[in-house]
Amino acid sequence: MTSVVLTRRGAALWARIDRPGSGNACDSTVLTGLERWLAGAADPAVRVLVLTGTGRSFCAGADLAEATGLLGDLPALLAHLDRGRRLVRALRAAPVPTVAAVNGAAFGGGLELLLGCDIAVAADTARIGDRHLAAGQVPGWGSSVLLPLAVGPALARRLLLTGETWSAEESERRGLVSAAVAAERLVGHVDALADAVAARDPAAVRRMLTLARPPVAEADWDREWETLTAHVTAQAAARAAAASPPDRHTPGTPTRPDTLDRPPGTEHP
């Protein structure tokens, strides 16, 4: 059973994250599926890439259960997080236009996947927000970098710091998505959009992408990654400290030397 279902619809290659029981959260299997989806753009017959989700969620972000399980292996955790970061960056550099068909909730890494796409269309059932702080986390897949480009610095700070949720309609009004449509019209709307792009000259489309995608300074990507690294390193250290056995004797507490390390029941009064 795959966690990402790939489907050709005309000239578009759709990827549907298929982990509805976990809100379509990105674990390692999802990242593998999305990497395979991106690689599909090498096929000349693929003119558009479309990303959506199964059920009520688009993507709830990184799988926190998997990430928490890696806190005891910091290099493995950082490698896992960097894999998601590189995926979003590869999405922004895809050789064909990319579309997010936001069918439902998009939070954390789900927002970052949305932001990595060239165009986002939201169903009226969609709810969108950052929510990293609500989970005690900071961004690592690009929301601190890409969100200001989408909605401006002031609104980006508001979303990042409050964790508030926007409806599809508000997301359209704020420029986070290009359109909000009825849920039953989402696939048809995106199909028409993909068909319109696919009908254009592929070479011209590729060159247009270099103009349409706003540039991001490497220093901005680095700052986000360095901040995330410092944060999860501190979390891993705190977890390790909490798991360590406590000292048998509290510093500063007087203890009779002749009672130290005696078997139970042999203490002197």
Side-chain angles (χ1 to χ4, degrees):
M1 180 71 71
T2 180
S3 296
V4 177
V5 179
L6 302 185
T7 308
R8 281 289 299 275
R9 295 178 66 87
L13 179 62
W14 285 62
R16 177 170 53 83
I17 304 175
D18 192 25
R19 297 185 70 219
S22 65
N24 296 325
C26 287
D27 65 358
S28 297
T29 66
V30 170
L31 294 178
T32 296
L34 294 181
E35 289 162 353
R36 187 160 59 93
W37 167 63
L38 281 174
D43 181 348
V46 173
R47 303 285 186 85
V48 182
L49 294 173
V50 180
L51 177 62
T52 193
T54 298
R56 300 173 59 185
S57 293
F58 172 72
C59 176
D63 189 304
L64 292 182
E66 183 175 42
T68 300
L70 291 172
L71 275 174
D73 186 349
L74 186 58
L77 174 58
L78 291 174
H80 173 69
L81 294 173
D82 188 46
R83 188 179 177 191
R85 171 179 180 256
R86 287 185 283 111
L87 176 72
V88 172
R89 296 193 65 174
L91 186 55
R92 290 195 82 245
V96 299
T98 55
V99 182
V102 187
N103 57 296
F107 299 123
L111 171 63
E112 290 167 313
L113 288 171
L114 180 161
L115 290 167
C117 291
D118 296 309
I119 302 171
V121 179
D124 56 8
T125 51
R127 297 295 180 265
I128 303 172
D130 184 75
R131 291 200 180 177
H132 277 99
L133 280 182
Q137 302 300 321
V138 295
W141 294 1
S143 60
S144 74
V145 177
L146 302 176
L147 196 53
L149 297 176
V151 301
L155 283 175
R157 285 193 294 270
R158 190 171 107 187
L159 276 176
L160 291 167
L161 291 171
T162 66
E164 68 185 33
T165 298
W166 285 358
S167 66
E169 292 75 14
E170 183 168 10
S171 297
E172 180 186 23
R173 187 168 62 251
R174 301 294 191 182
L176 185 56
V177 303
S178 67
V181 301
E184 63 271 18
R185 293 185 52 235
L186 179 64
V187 172
H189 184 98
V190 172
D191 274 340
L193 188 64
D195 289 345
V197 172
R200 307 303 180 191
D201 176 67
V205 169
R206 283 194 299 272
R207 293 188 178 97
M208 183 63 78
L209 288 175
T210 67
L211 301 174
R213 289 170 174 163
V216 175
E218 197 65 31
D220 292 335
W221 288 110
D222 290 344
R223 182 182 63 221
E224 183 183 81
W225 179 246
E226 289 163 3
T227 302
L228 174 66
T229 299
H231 186 67
V232 298
T233 299
Q235 286 183 317
R239 184 183 177 91
S244 298
D247 291 340
R248 296 181 62 188
H249 309 296
T250 303
T253 301
T255 307
R256 288 175 54 182
D258 62 342
T259 65
L260 294 180
D261 300 320
R262 287 183 178 273
T266 62
E267 294 86 349
H268 294 293

